[in-house]
Amino acid sequence: MELTNRKKRILRAIVEIYISTAEPVGSKAVAEQAGLDISTATIRNEMADLTELGYLEQPHTSAGRIPSPMGYRLYVNELMGEHQLTMQETQRINDALNLKMEELDRVIDRAGKVLSQISDYPVFTMAQPKQRVTVKRYDLLMVEENAFIAVVMTDNSVVRNKLIHLSDELSDTQLQLLSTVLNSSFVGLELAEMLEALEKMEAHSAPGAFEMISLVVDFAMEILEEQSRKTVHTAGITHLLEHPEYHSLDKAKPLMTYLAENQEGSRLPVSMENGQNMNILIGPENVSEALKDTSVVMASYDIGDNMRGVIGVVGPTRMDYAKVTARLSYFADSLTRMFGKGELAMYFGSSAGVQMFREQGIDATFLPFFNQ
């Protein structure tokens, strides 16, 4: 049976009406929406053909039709119009992304929250870890005779600090020597390489010196391990309850639990294939059973330094694909432009950077160490 242009126009009308109303669509509504100069009887015949072809479903004998996953797929691939963002939408997105001096995690977390508020759907955001992360430098700051702060900076501009207590007293000279050893032997190394270097050093180091070295290097390895993990931020999970498909808590709860418990991203569809910038998974196209009745729309963005991120929207298959893809595309492009300006690298010399160090109890006069 041929999928004529008229059938496609009717299918498009049904998808868009159903997106708007969440109610099965009848021939009269299609006649008003599609702008076709044909009778409702003819439309009913065409709807019956579309049902037979698998593009529509009929929930009840006397009800209208709703799109099937196959119908949504054809709509997304061929029939969907391009949604133009309003001035209010673009301004709201731009305001949300105007976080020039924020850390990466804060930026993508905030972006996800704002996109969720705008779209009324749950959103997940993720930064794909850099394939090779190493420590760029160590700075050690004396606090008292048996305690110092270790500050570790990675080559992707992540800075972490830790207060380290010792059983014995430590002089300024010893602290400077420790800093020299760390910056000469434990920079530019990946996690496995750092562990190997630490094991070699143990064989020819005095026990007391090796204890101090290992305390700092262990902290650095924790940071590298953290940076290698794929962390997913989720926002707006309760927005599901605003949609008719999830008014029943029994139906909403499994999906909400699934989204809330996937912070490591191990089960969320966060990968993009063949270098594509946008990907739409409709209903059964999702691998996870929890997502079989939902659609997931994802866009990728470039963080720089061989890192990419993914931002995605999860919602019913009835979601407004044109509007969601337009907003996602704008978000992803904006994030790419922002990260491309190198604004994260400027963070530690900014007022926001000073405030972060104050919150951590570190004197802001030490900031020049991290901008060299």
Side-chain angles (χ1 to χ4, degrees):
M1 188 183 302
E2 183 184 0
L3 192 61
T4 63
N5 184 58
R6 187 166 73 184
K7 283 185 172 63
K8 290 181 179 180
R9 289 181 65 180
I10 290 172
L11 176 61
R12 176 175 177 172
I14 291 171
V15 171
E16 292 177 351
I17 294 169
Y18 187 62
I19 285 172
S20 176
T21 66
E23 297 289 340
V25 182
S27 57
K28 184 177 179 181
V30 174
E32 294 173 354
Q33 172 88 0
L36 293 170
D37 189 19
I38 55 177
S39 67
T40 54
T42 301
I43 292 175
R44 282 195 294 272
N45 289 335
E46 296 283 40
M47 290 169 66
D49 290 345
L50 287 167
T51 304
E52 186 177 341
L53 289 168
Y55 294 105
L56 297 178
E57 296 175 352
Q58 189 171 18
H60 308 290
T61 305
S62 59
R65 303 301 204 277
I66 65 173
S68 68
M70 183 175 166
Y72 282 123
R73 173 50 62 193
L74 181 64
Y75 174 77
V76 167
N77 287 355
E78 297 184 26
L79 310 178
M80 180 174 68
E82 184 175 346
H83 176 75
Q84 297 294 323
L85 296 183
T86 65
M87 289 295 293
Q88 290 82 1
E89 287 175 324
T90 56
Q91 185 61 48
R92 191 173 179 186
I93 292 171
N94 288 334
D95 289 345
L97 294 176
N98 189 24
L99 306 170
K100 297 181 179 180
M101 303 303 174
E102 297 267 5
E103 284 187 282
L104 173 60
D105 275 358
R106 290 187 187 182
V107 172
I108 63 175
D109 184 48
R110 174 76 177 274
K113 289 177 180 176
V114 172
L115 181 57
S116 179
Q117 291 168 2
I118 292 173
S119 66
D120 293 327
Y121 295 123
V123 169
F124 62 86
T125 51
M126 182 212 72
Q128 187 70 38
K130 185 180 175 184
Q131 291 185 350
R132 176 183 168 87
V133 180
T134 66
V135 173
K136 184 177 180 179
R137 66 177 294 143
Y138 299 85
D139 286 284
L140 308 181
L141 315 174
M142 184 71 80
V143 176
E144 51 191 23
E145 291 179 339
N146 64 341
F148 64 92
I149 292 174
V151 184
V152 179
M153 182 177 186
T154 67
D155 61 352
N156 61 337
S157 298
V158 169
V159 176
R160 298 283 188 270
N161 64 82
K162 181 178 182 179
L163 179 63
I164 295 178
H165 291 277
L166 303 171
S167 54
D168 297 320
E169 292 183 359
L170 181 70
S171 68
D172 287 332
T173 301
Q174 289 173 312
L175 192 65
Q176 289 173 12
L177 280 172
L178 175 58
S179 178
T180 300
V181 170
L182 292 168
N183 282 294
S184 62
S185 302
F186 294 96
V187 296
L189 304 179
E190 292 185 271
L191 185 61
E193 296 168 333
M194 190 174 288
L195 180 60
E196 183 180 348
L198 185 64
E199 290 173 348
K200 288 180 179 178
M201 185 161 287
E202 184 177 14
H204 57 268
S205 297
F210 180 75
E211 178 190 3
M212 290 188 294
I213 293 169
S214 62
L215 286 171
V216 180
V217 174
D218 284 346
F219 173 51
M221 289 194 294
E222 289 175 11
I223 297 169
L224 295 186
E225 186 177 5
E226 169 197 313
Q227 292 299 301
S228 69
R229 289 197 296 265
K230 182 169 60 180
T231 302
V232 176
H233 300 265
T234 54
I237 294 175
T238 55
H239 280 310
L240 284 173
L241 301 175
E242 299 169 12
H243 300 280
E245 292 86 344
Y246 301 104
H247 282 175
S248 167
L249 191 58
D250 288 340
K251 184 168 184 180
K253 187 176 179 181
L255 180 55
M256 294 172 71
T257 301
Y258 173 85
L259 293 173
E261 293 179 352
N262 274 278
Q263 300 305 305
E264 294 299 320
S266 57
R267 296 162 61 202
L268 283 169
V270 293
S271 60
M272 306 290 281
E273 298 178 357
N274 303 321
Q276 60 190 153
N277 293 323
M278 182 75 69
N279 193 17
I280 301 174
L281 300 175
I282 299 172
E285 295 173 1
N286 287 287
V287 174
S288 173
E289 189 63 33
L291 298 174
K292 291 297 185 184
D293 294 326
T294 72
S295 286
V296 180
V297 183
M298 297 171 286
S300 68
Y301 55 92
D302 189 356
I303 301 171
D305 202 16
N306 298 315
M307 295 173 65
R308 291 194 67 79
V310 173
I311 185 165
V313 171
V314 181
T317 53
R318 185 184 55 83
M319 75 164 65
D320 191 331
Y321 294 94
K323 188 178 292 186
V324 169
T325 54
R327 289 169 175 171
L328 263 182
S329 179
Y330 189 88
F331 251 85
D333 289 346
S334 298
L335 285 167
T336 295
R337 286 194 301 272
M338 186 185 69
F339 288 120
K341 293 177 182 177
E343 290 161 343
L344 292 182
M346 298 163 59
Y347 176 70
F348 296 103
S350 69
S351 59
V354 173
Q355 180 60 32
M356 183 199 76
F357 273 75
R358 285 175 178 159
E359 290 172 358
Q360 296 291 333
I362 299 176
D363 193 324
T365 57
F366 291 111
L367 278 170
F369 285 122
F370 311 117
N371 292 317
Q372 297 174 7

